[in-house]
Structure formats: structure tokens, C-alpha cells
């Protein structure tokens, strides 16, 4: 199996310049997202010895097409739940982000049905 079904990573390619690829992916993200990614990457690396730079690269590669606000939401939930303290690493965070990205439009539609929309604004006309 040369291509990962979860993230699309191709193991047949020789990645000697992982740093360059990581830098390219990070430059495509907003400053706030990069700050959050760096913060959570340091927490995961400190608390889970098996999570190394290559696994971080695989995480970045797998989430490169995920929208920034979805990725920020996933990182925030991961950080709030302190999942890195429970042994959950980059693969778990990638799955959360990809699932949220895939389901976001349907979730918004369901929320709109459940909550409803804002009432329309009626302009009050003066009666004569």
C-alpha cells in the first residue's frame, strides 16, 4: 500500500526535505492557525514520546486542504479536552479536523432547522 487512505500521504516518494514541505504547507495557513498549530504540536511532542516531527508532517500533509477556521476549531477542542494528556496524538487531531471539515455544511443545515433563522426585519409604516 503506497498511499494512505486516511490522509493521502504517498510513501513511495522520497521526502528528504520534510522541513521545506512543512514550511510550504504552513505558509498557506493564516498566522493565527500557524500559531495554534505550533502550540499544539509542542504539547503533543512533549507529552507523547512516539509523536515525532515526521508524524507532525503527516498531520500537516493530511490537513493541508482543510479550511483554517475548521482546523482552528479542531485544535481548540483538542486543547480544551487535553487529549494530548490521554495519549491521543496527531492522527486523532487529523481525524477530528477532517470529520468536521466533511460534515460542516450538513451540520449548519441541521442547526438552521433546529434553531431556525433570524426573524425578518419589517419596516414599520406610519398609518395616515
Amino acid at each position: 500500500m503506497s498511499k494512505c487512505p486516511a490522509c493521502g500521504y504517498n510513501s513511495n516518494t522520497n521526502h528528504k526535505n520534510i522541513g521545506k514541505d512543512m514550511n510550504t504547507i504552513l505558509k498557506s495557513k493564516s498566522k493565527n492557525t500557524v500559531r495554534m498549530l505550533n502550540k499544539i504540536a509542542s504539547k503533543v511532542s512533549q507529552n507523547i514520546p512516539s509523536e515525532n516531527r515526521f508524524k507532525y508532517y503527516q498531520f500537516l500533509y493530511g490537513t493541508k486542504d482543510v479550511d483554517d477556521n475548521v482546523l482552528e476549531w479542531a485544535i481548540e477542542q483538542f486543547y480544551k479536552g487535553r487529549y494530548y494528556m490521554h495519549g491521543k496524538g496527531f492522527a486523532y487531531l487529523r481525524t477530528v479536523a477532517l470529520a468536521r471539515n466533511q460534515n460542516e455544511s450538513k451540520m449548519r443545515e441541521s442547526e438552521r432547522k433546529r434553531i431556525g433563522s433570524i426573524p425578518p426585519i419589517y419596516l414599520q409604516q406610519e398609518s395616515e
Side-chain angles (χ1 to χ4, degrees), residues 33-126:
T33 305
V34 171
R35 183 184 54 79
M36 291 176 79
L37 282 168
N38 289 336
K39 181 178 179 181
I40 205 67
S42 66
K43 292 285 187 188
V44 169
S45 297
Q46 288 172 0
N47 291 294
I48 306 170
S50 63
E51 296 293 312
N52 54 25
R53 186 171 183 230
F54 184 70
K55 290 193 178 182
Y56 180 51
Y57 166 69
Q58 287 178 321
F59 164 74
L60 288 176
Y61 188 86
T63 58
K64 67 182 176 185
D65 296 328
V66 175
D67 193 31
D68 282 357
N69 60 0
V70 173
L71 194 56
E72 288 175 10
W73 178 88
I75 293 170
E76 188 176 315
Q77 296 303 313
F78 188 81
Y79 188 73
K80 279 183 186 176
R82 296 181 179 242
Y83 291 111
Y84 54 88
M85 300 290 278
H86 301 286
K88 300 195 185 317
F90 294 120
Y92 181 83
L93 181 56
R94 182 187 68 231
T95 304
V96 169
L98 291 175
R100 177 71 176 199
N101 192 45
Q102 187 176 12
N103 299 332
E104 186 179 26
S105 62
K106 189 66 176 173
M107 289 171 63
R108 285 181 193 232
E109 182 182 319
S110 297
E111 182 179 333
R112 183 63 68 187
K113 286 180 183 177
R114 188 179 74 241
I115 297 173
S117 62
I118 323 171
I121 298 174
Y122 292 108
L123 298 175
Q124 207 172 25
Q125 296 178 354
E126 294 180 20

